[in-house]
Amino acid sequence: MDATVIVAAMGLAATLLATWLTARSQRRVDREGRILDAKVRTYGECSESLYEYARATYNRSKARIAAQPDRDEEGPRQEAYRANARARSAIGQVLILTKNQELEEELTRARRQIGQLNRAPNHDDLRSRQEVAYQTIKRALDMARSDLVT
């Protein structure tokens, strides 16, 4: 009689433990899936904001170099400032989500490289700075992609 009770108790304990372990594992998998979805979305937004900042800064610098007397300086400047703010925000979101300091530094390096477009004295230098900025963005996005895989 005592052996039967012990075996029944062990069976009940094993069933409860298996249920608990399964539920715990499922919650972990669900959480990892949500984090992966958030990373993909945030990396996409970061990529978009960096390229938008590059576009706005390029257009602003191109207009400055062309020195069009009747051009509206404030519009392109404000557009570039807004794009820079969105890029900074997106980089901050990436850092919060991944806690990957190297990725944050690479994304910040890309954003700063885009800012160098403002220093171009002529169209040829502007194009070469733009190419360097795009290469820096690509390196940062490659690092983000590898973060998704690991």
Side-chain angles (χ1 to χ4, degrees):
M1 177 83 165
D2 290 333
T4 305
V5 172
I6 292 174
V7 170
M10 287 175 52
L12 178 62
T15 302
L16 292 175
L17 180 62
T19 303
W20 179 78
L21 287 174
T22 301
R24 183 172 181 239
S25 176
Q26 184 63 39
R27 281 192 304 272
R28 184 178 53 82
V29 168
D30 287 346
R31 183 179 60 240
E32 288 173 359
R34 286 193 309 269
I35 289 172
L36 180 62
D37 289 344
K39 282 182 178 182
V40 169
R41 185 184 69 251
T42 303
Y43 290 164
E45 291 170 0
C46 189
S47 171
E48 179 183 357
S49 68
L50 285 171
Y51 280 113
E52 179 62 22
Y53 178 42
R55 184 201 60 76
T57 305
Y58 179 83
N59 288 344
R60 176 183 177 205
S61 297
K62 187 176 175 183
R64 177 187 51 79
I65 291 169
Q68 302 163 351
D70 60 340
R71 71 183 168 102
D72 176 26
E73 248 181 68
E74 195 59 32
R77 179 182 299 137
Q78 288 303 315
E79 182 182 10
Y81 287 155
R82 281 191 297 274
N84 186 16
R86 282 191 301 274
R88 281 180 179 225
S89 173
I91 291 168
Q93 290 174 22
V94 166
L95 180 61
I96 289 169
L97 194 57
T98 66
K99 298 176 186 162
N100 184 338
Q101 192 67 34
E102 290 177 17
L103 177 57
E104 187 267 341
E105 289 170 1
E106 192 65 27
L107 290 167
T108 299
R109 189 174 298 113
R111 187 186 60 77
R112 288 185 179 144
Q113 189 62 46
I114 293 166
Q116 293 298 313
L117 297 176
N118 288 318
R119 300 182 190 276
N122 57 49
H123 288 290
D124 291 335
D125 189 52
L126 178 61
R127 279 191 286 278
S128 68
R129 288 175 189 246
Q130 182 187 34
E131 186 60 36
V132 170
Y134 283 153
Q135 290 170 358
T136 309
I137 292 170
K138 184 181 180 318
R139 271 195 316 275
L141 296 178
D142 287 343
M143 186 180 283
R145 186 180 310 111
S146 69
D147 185 60
L148 289 174
V149 175
T150 58

